[in-house]
Amino acid sequence: FTASDSYATGNVTGYTAGGFVGYDDDEGFYTNDHASGNVQGVVSGGYSYAGGFLGYGSSTWELSNVYATGNVSGGSTVAGDTYAGGLAGYVDTDEGIVNSHATGSVAGAYYAGGLVGDSDSDIADSYATGNVNGATGGDIGGLVGYNDSTITGSYATGNVKGVLGTDSYVGGLVGDNNDTIDHSYATGNVNYGGTSADAGGLIGYNDGGDISYAYSTGNLNGDGNATSAASIGGLIGYQDGGYIDQVYSAAHFNGKG
């Protein structure tokens, strides 16, 4: 189905909640749409999906020139299968997310991102400006919490904060990255804590993704509890494969660890 030149303004609360659409598994094509309501996820059976525009999208065709301005909460600050994003909680598209943005804050989810909580969609020429506060042990990023597709020409400016535990990944752009990032950047501060954080100005944990023409400028602020198990970097906290080319960080470190 196709939705174009349309909008929604109401607040939404639910297990699978979106400011425009809660659940889409029917190849939806969205163009020139927007949502402005706040979205509150409700955890049921350990799961919740909350997005400023789309809560859960599986087999969605494309999001093009769409945006959301509402604040989003996944409904939990503890570890679990909770997803929250300024635009989408979880999304898997055929043609990707293009020329889209989110400006609301995001909180209360294990997979938390200023634009998308968990992305299996290519993202191009898109951005997020809201602050992001994740759940214990989560994947938390200024643009995407967990990324498994290409990001290009995109950026995040919000501050990112993790309630950190073991295997927490916190990044100014992406918390946990598994694919290519090109011509993208982050300017928000990254706040990390706990004993075993992987935190970076751009990426918390990079699992084989190729990074090129990217940068970060935000500061990294620690709570002083990090141990030798933590990996903290101005650009990338923990690098595990992939190549890095034409990148830089202007981060300052504040606090121990």
Side-chain angles (χ1 to χ4, degrees):
F1 72 91
T2 299
S4 62
D5 302 302
S6 301
Y7 67 91
T9 61
N11 297 330
V12 180
T13 299
Y15 158 69
T16 306
F20 193 84
V21 173
Y23 184 94
D24 171 24
D25 66 349
D26 193 26
E27 297 188 349
F29 176 71
Y30 305 92
T31 180
N32 301 319
D33 302 315
H34 68 272
S36 59
N38 297 327
V39 178
Q40 174 67 56
V42 176
V43 179
S44 176
Y47 289 82
S48 74
Y49 302 90
F53 184 85
L54 173 65
Y56 179 97
S58 175
S59 300
T60 299
W61 188 252
E62 185 178 48
L63 286 84
S64 177
N65 295 302
V66 303
Y67 68 89
T69 59
N71 298 324
V72 179
S73 174
S76 176
T77 59
V78 299
D81 291 307
T82 51
Y83 303 76
L87 192 73
Y90 169 83
V91 65
D92 179 3
T93 68
D94 291 289
E95 295 298 318
I97 299 170
V98 183
N99 291 321
S100 298
H101 67 271
T103 60
S105 64
V106 178
Y110 188 87
Y111 301 98
L115 192 75
V116 181
D118 183 343
S119 176
D120 285 313
S121 303
D122 290 345
I123 297 173
D125 303 316
S126 299
Y127 66 89
T129 61
N131 295 332
V132 181
N133 295 314
T136 299
D139 295 346
I140 307 154
L143 190 76
V144 179
Y146 179 89
N147 179 59
D148 206 18
S149 290
T150 297
I151 296 173
T152 184
S154 299
Y155 65 90
T157 62
N159 297 325
V160 182
K161 182 179 180 180
V163 181
L164 298 176
T166 301
D167 298 329
S168 302
Y169 306 128
V170 185
L173 190 76
V174 177
D176 184 351
N177 180 60
N178 296 267
D179 213 312
T180 298
I181 295 177
D182 179 63
H183 285 90
S184 299
Y185 66 89
T187 62
N189 296 327
V190 175
N191 302 289
Y192 61 91
T195 59
S196 56
D198 289 345
L202 191 75
I203 301 167
Y205 174 68
N206 187 43
D207 188 8
D210 296 332
I211 316 300
S212 58
Y213 298 96
Y215 67 89
S216 65
T217 61
N219 295 327
L220 285 99
N221 305 308
D223 68 358
N225 292 315
T227 68
S228 59
S231 298
I232 314 300
L235 192 77
I236 299 171
Y238 189 97
Q239 172 74 11
D240 187 10
Y243 73 80
I244 299 174
D245 181 52
Q246 302 291 323
V247 302
Y248 74 88
S249 171
H252 293 277
F253 292 84
N254 301 307
K256 293 173 59 180

